[in-house]
């Protein structure tokens, strides 16, 4: 089965799952249980869905309010008009058409709308919300201005108007509100891509495309989003398209070829390699169908045709195996799990001499080499050991500095010989061929760093700092530079761990609004949450490792392994709990060292 048809089949299944019901829950923090949607696929029910009209709910005020919070879920140029339809004629002037663009304030209801009778025919409505950001016409959900509160209350009235039919909103909020339920239902999650500043990796950028956009125009709108430039938090880490580039019209799909025409004010590309990179960026951004070719025309130049398979290979993330290699630490050594993709093979990189006293570890493959980073016990402290197996042989370097506590090391792809690790509440970088660990500054963020996860492109990270969730872009020059982190609003509080399970999706551990520890999948902007594991009770998640889904064809949709209250688990695996007998080379009831009792494996992780 081709990737294209696998993608269509997955889309069909997903649409069926997500079309099942949408009531008004007591608590609206999580919409979907289970693995959730694959990245880049619709989160709503399909292109035919449109928000309800004002007259659809004439008797139920709560349902009317819910519909009002969905009214703006249309193409940006129609949003103000749609909201005004709900507002009493005498108040419509308060719904302004802001210039230069319409920005929707996306909110998550923290509880059901509170509705009280104010006077005959008029009801007071209070919305207790978490503000998630501003949805721009380019589909980017950007953070609110710094002075805006994250949690707030909006109030307005609902009542009748003389001579008019149905209910109206009276004294409407000044902001154009859009509920996260509407974002989840009436928008498609799409990923556009920008090259990093060194032009080694395509960096994903999450956008929301209204389902109201006709199918034949969706690629054209995505191209306009790409031309508009990257989201603010990525802007300093990636390259925008050259200035003066404009769309040359509609982007048709002839079934076997995607045709893109661009207009340039000058000659924007120095050589053929830059055009090749542009072609890959376009194909990956405009709904990748790599069974097809891309025909790129720069106005005034001869069209050039690129085979889809060649453009596919220019994004390293597409090489992620569908089934990951799984490892764990058991009695001070790294072992392969029996469920690993390459069961029976030796442990990568490590020698018997090095594979001792291990507390936690991280592996990666990049550029023909395999790399390992180990936190090992050294007396009463811990030390980082970094090793590489390349064509030049295998070598290891131990850090000159020790720490009281070192977290799971993560590697940064593209090229892959640099990594990050949390140690004693700080963030540090390490590098192959060096025993140095260097502290990394987090601009504008203070507090104890608890967890770090690296995106599969190697140019973005997720962080938990003092129980709060952040994402940040990286500059990868001589040193790893973390650009100003962006706070990710989520229903979870007191977070402890985070990692990546898709290009634009995180898995995070924290306390849900019911006071229970949970694992949530959260988009990088914090808008869409799903529950990968809703309730761990009072368990503390002290370790979490994700494996990103391959952006082409889906594959394993975000595998996850974690440790809660000292017990390791492999989410979605049939056995779930990782027991000693699931470790290669360990028989049931057997220990490696007779003097040591059987204990739980610790610190499970993936190679990618």
């Amino acid at each position: 089965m081709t990737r294209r048809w696998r993608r269509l089949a997955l889309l069909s299944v997903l649409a069926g799952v997500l079309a099942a019901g949408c009531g008004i829950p007591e608590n609206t923090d999580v919409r979907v249980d289970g693995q959730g949607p694959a990245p880049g696929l619709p989160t709503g029910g399909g292109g035919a869905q449109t928000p309800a009209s004002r007259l659809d709910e004439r008797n139920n005020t709560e349902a009317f309010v819910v519909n009002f919070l969905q009214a703006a879920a249309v193409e940006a140029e129609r949003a103000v008009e749609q909201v005004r339809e709900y507002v009493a004629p005498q108040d419509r002037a308060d719904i302004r058409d802001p210039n230069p663009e319409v920005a929707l304030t996306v909110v998550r209801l923290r509880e059901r709308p509170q509705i009280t009778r104010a006077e005959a025919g008029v009801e007071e409505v209070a919305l207790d919300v978490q503000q998630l950001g501003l949805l721009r016409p380019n589909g980017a959900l950007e953070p609110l201005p710094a002075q805006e509160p994250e949690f707030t209350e909006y109030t307005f009235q609902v009542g009748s108007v003389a001579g008019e039919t149905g209910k109206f909103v009276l004294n409407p909020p000044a902001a154009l509100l859009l509920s996260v339920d509407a974002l989840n239902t009436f928008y498609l999650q799409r990923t556009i891509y920008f090259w990093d500043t060194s032009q080694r990796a395509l960096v994903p950028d999450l956008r929301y495309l209204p389902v109201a956009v006709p199918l034949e125009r969706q690629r054209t709108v995505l191209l306009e989003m790409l031309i508009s430039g990257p989201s603010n938090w990525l802007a300093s880490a990636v390259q925008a398209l050259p200035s003066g580039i404009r769309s040359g019209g509609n982007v048709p799909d002839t079934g076997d070829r995607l045709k893109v025409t661009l207009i340039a004010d000058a000659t924007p590309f120095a050589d053929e390699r830059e055009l090749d990179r542009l072609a890959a960026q376009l194909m990956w951004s405009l709904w990748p169908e790599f069974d097809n070719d891309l025909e790129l025309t720069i106005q005034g130049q001869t069209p050039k045709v690129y085979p889809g398979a060649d453009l596919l290979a220019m994004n390293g993330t597409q090489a992620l195996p569908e089934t990951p290699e799984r490892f764990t630490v058991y009695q001070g050594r790294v072992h392969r799990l029996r469920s690993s993709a390459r069961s029976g093979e030796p442990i990568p990189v490590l020698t018997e001499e090095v594979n001792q006293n291990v507390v936690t570890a991280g592996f990666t493959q990049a550029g023909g080499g395999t790399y390992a980073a180990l936190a090992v016990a050294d007396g009463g402290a811990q030390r980082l050991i970094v090793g590489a197996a390349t064509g030049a042989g295998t070598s290891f370097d131990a850090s000159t500095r020790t720490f009281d506590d070192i977290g799971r090391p993560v590697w940064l792809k593209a090229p892959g010989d640099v990594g990050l690790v949390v140690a004693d509440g700080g963030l540090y970088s390490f590098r192959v061929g060096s025993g140095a660990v260097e502290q990394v500054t987090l601009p504008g963020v203070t507090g104890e760093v608890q967890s770090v996860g690296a995106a599969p492109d190697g140019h973005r990270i997720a962080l938990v700092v003092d129980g709060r969730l952040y994402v940040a872009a990286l500059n990868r020059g001589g040193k790893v530079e973390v650009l100003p982190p962006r706070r990710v609003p989520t229903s979870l509080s007191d977070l402890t761990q985070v990692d990546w399970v898709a290009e634009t999706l995180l898995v995070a551990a924290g306390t849900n609004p019911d006071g229970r520890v949970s694992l949530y999948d959260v988009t990088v902007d914090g808008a869409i949450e799903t529950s990968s594991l809703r309730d761990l009770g009072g368990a503390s998640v002290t370790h979490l490792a994700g494996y990103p889904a391959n952006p082409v064809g889906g594959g394993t949709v975000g595998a996850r392994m974690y440790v809660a209250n000292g017990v390791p688990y492999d989410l979605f695996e049939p056995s779930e709990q990782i027991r000693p007998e699931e470790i290669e080379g360990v028989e049931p009831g057997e220990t490696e060292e007779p003097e040591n009792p059987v204990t739980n494996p610790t610190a499970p992780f993936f190679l990618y």
Side-chain angles (χ1 to χ4, degrees):
M1 182 181 288
T2 66
R3 284 188 173 92
R4 180 179 184 181
W5 290 111
R6 282 201 304 267
R7 187 179 179 89
L8 290 173
L10 180 58
L11 202 161
S12 176
V13 170
L14 183 64
V17 170
L18 292 173
C22 61
I24 305 171
E26 288 292 339
N27 191 308
T28 60
D29 56 327
V30 176
R31 285 295 307 270
V32 181
D33 287 330
Q35 294 184 9
L41 295 179
T43 54
Q49 282 191 298
T50 56
S53 75
R54 179 180 61 85
L55 295 177
D56 282 353
E57 290 292 345
R58 303 190 188 192
N59 301 315
N60 188 323
T61 301
E62 183 172 3
F64 173 87
V65 170
V66 169
N67 289 346
F68 170 62
L69 297 177
Q70 297 179 350
V74 293
E75 294 181 80
E77 59 269 22
R78 294 174 48 217
V80 170
E81 172 192 347
Q82 290 294 106
V83 173
R84 280 178 174 158
E85 287 294 318
Y86 273 81
V87 175
Q90 67 270 19
D91 293 324
R92 286 176 182 167
D94 295 336
I95 306 298
R96 299 181 300 276
D97 190 352
N99 291 312
E101 61 179 25
V102 175
L104 308 180
T105 301
V106 181
V107 297
R108 175 180 291 124
L109 295 178
R110 303 176 71 197
E111 58 183 26
R112 298 174 69 153
Q114 300 301 302
I115 300 169
T116 56
R117 185 179 178 86
E119 57 187 79
V122 176
E123 293 173 292
E124 292 279 355
V125 178
L127 303 178
D128 181 11
V129 303
Q130 181 182 30
Q131 302 197 110
L132 303 179
L134 296 175
L135 183 63
R136 303 291 186 184
N138 65 359
L141 183 61
E142 300 286 8
L144 290 165
Q147 67 272 17
E148 289 288 328
E150 179 181 354
F151 300 101
T152 193
E153 182 178 270
Y154 289 97
T155 59
F156 52 91
Q157 296 173 321
V158 171
S160 58
V161 172
E164 300 284 351
T165 302
K167 298 176 182 293
F168 287 90
V169 173
L170 312 174
N171 302 316
L176 288 171
L177 300 180
L178 181 74
S179 71
V180 74
D181 283 355
L183 186 69
N184 194 41
T185 303
F186 298 108
Y187 291 80
L188 310 174
Q189 288 183 40
R190 291 288 181 248
T191 307
I192 62 175
Y193 293 81
F194 295 91
W195 286 99
D196 77 291
T197 53
S198 63
Q199 298 185 329
R200 291 183 296 191
L202 282 168
V203 180
D205 192 358
L206 177 61
R207 300 298 170 94
Y208 295 93
L209 179 71
V211 298
V213 177
L215 185 62
E216 62 272 16
R217 287 193 56 240
Q218 289 186 5
R219 285 184 171 90
T220 305
V221 174
L222 289 169
L223 176 59
E224 292 167 354
M225 291 180 178
L226 187 66
I227 292 172
S228 75
S231 298
N232 291 339
W233 72 286
L234 296 175
S236 297
V238 299
Q239 290 184 336
L241 295 186
S243 60
I245 289 287
R246 304 188 304 280
S247 172
N250 193 47
V251 181
D253 180 6
T254 63
D256 60 356
R257 182 170 293 181
L258 183 66
K259 296 185 177 182
V260 180
T261 300
L262 298 176
I263 300 171
D265 291 339
T267 303
F269 304 103
D271 53 40
E272 287 296 313
R273 289 175 298 177
E274 288 192 13
L275 273 176
D276 294 346
R277 284 190 285 267
L278 173 63
Q281 184 178 8
L282 290 168
M283 180 65 101
W284 274 94
S285 299
L286 308 183
W287 296 15
E289 296 289 356
F290 296 103
D291 295 334
N292 301 342
D293 298 333
L294 171 72
E295 181 181 303
L296 174 60
T297 302
I298 307 295
Q299 191 177 55
Q301 301 180 17
T302 302
K304 184 174 180 180
V305 177
Y306 296 85
D310 294 347
L311 303 180
L312 169 69
M314 293 181 71
N315 184 351
T317 308
Q318 57 79 32
L320 282 168
E322 291 188 355
T323 303
E325 295 188 56
R326 290 171 159 90
F327 301 88
T328 192
V329 176
Y330 181 63
Q331 294 188 342
R333 298 184 182 184
V334 174
H335 291 263
R336 189 185 291 273
L337 291 171
R338 298 183 192 275
S339 58
S340 181
R342 306 180 74 170
S343 179
E345 294 192 10
I347 302 297
V349 186
L350 303 185
T351 63
E352 285 293 323
E353 180 183 8
V354 171
N355 196 10
Q356 305 284 338
N357 303 316
V358 179
V359 178
T360 187
F363 290 169
T364 195
Q365 289 178 327
T370 304
Y371 306 100
L374 311 173
V376 300
D378 185 357
Q382 295 179 11
R383 189 184 303 275
L384 194 68
I385 296 179
V386 178
T390 62
T394 302
S395 60
F396 297 93
D397 294 281
S399 65
T400 55
R401 180 174 177 177
T402 61
F403 298 88
D404 292 332
D405 182 66
I406 298 177
R408 179 176 64 91
V410 298
W411 291 92
L412 303 177
K413 292 281 195 176
D417 58 351
V418 178
L420 295 171
V421 67
V422 173
D424 290 353
L427 183 66
Y428 294 82
S429 66
F430 57 87
R431 185 180 298 272
V432 169
S434 171
V437 288
E438 300 184 9
Q439 187 155 12
V440 178
T441 301
L442 301 178
V445 176
T446 59
E448 179 186 357
V449 183
Q450 297 161 265
S451 178
V452 63
D457 54 88
H459 289 76
R460 299 169 300 151
I461 58 173
L463 298 154
V464 175
V465 182
D466 275 354
R468 297 182 176 91
L469 184 58
Y470 297 85
V471 291
L474 305 176
N475 271 336
R476 302 277 304 277
K479 294 183 178 181
V480 177
E481 178 190 3
V482 178
L483 297 172
R486 169 179 175 168
R487 172 78 185 280
V488 179
T490 171
S491 297
L492 295 174
S493 61
D494 300 322
L495 284 87
T496 58
Q497 296 288 314
V498 67
D499 206 2
W500 297 75
V501 287
E503 287 189 315
T504 59
L505 190 67
L506 312 172
V507 59
T511 303
N512 69 20
D514 297 326
R516 312 287 284 180
V517 175
S518 299
L519 296 185
Y520 277 10
D521 290 353
V522 184
T523 49
V524 290
D525 51 25
I528 308 300
E529 295 180 338
T530 62
S531 174
S532 56
L533 187 60
R534 190 173 182 83
D535 190 351
L536 289 170
S540 175
V541 177
T542 54
H543 175 95
L544 176 62
Y547 182 81
N550 190 309
V552 181
T556 300
V557 182
R560 307 146 178 83
M561 296 193 289
Y562 66 98
V563 176
N565 280 4
V567 179
Y569 298 91
D570 191 344
L571 200 61
F572 306 136
E573 284 298 298
S575 58
E576 196 158 308
Q577 182 177 336
I578 302 173
R579 305 178 188 277
E581 55 266 29
E582 292 162 19
I583 298 171
E584 287 193 352
V586 177
E587 298 301 325
E590 176 187 347
T591 63
E592 288 189 310
E593 302 172 11
E595 65 273 17
N596 290 337
V598 175
T599 58
N600 285 323
T602 60
F605 64 97
F606 303 98
L607 181 152
Y608 80 88

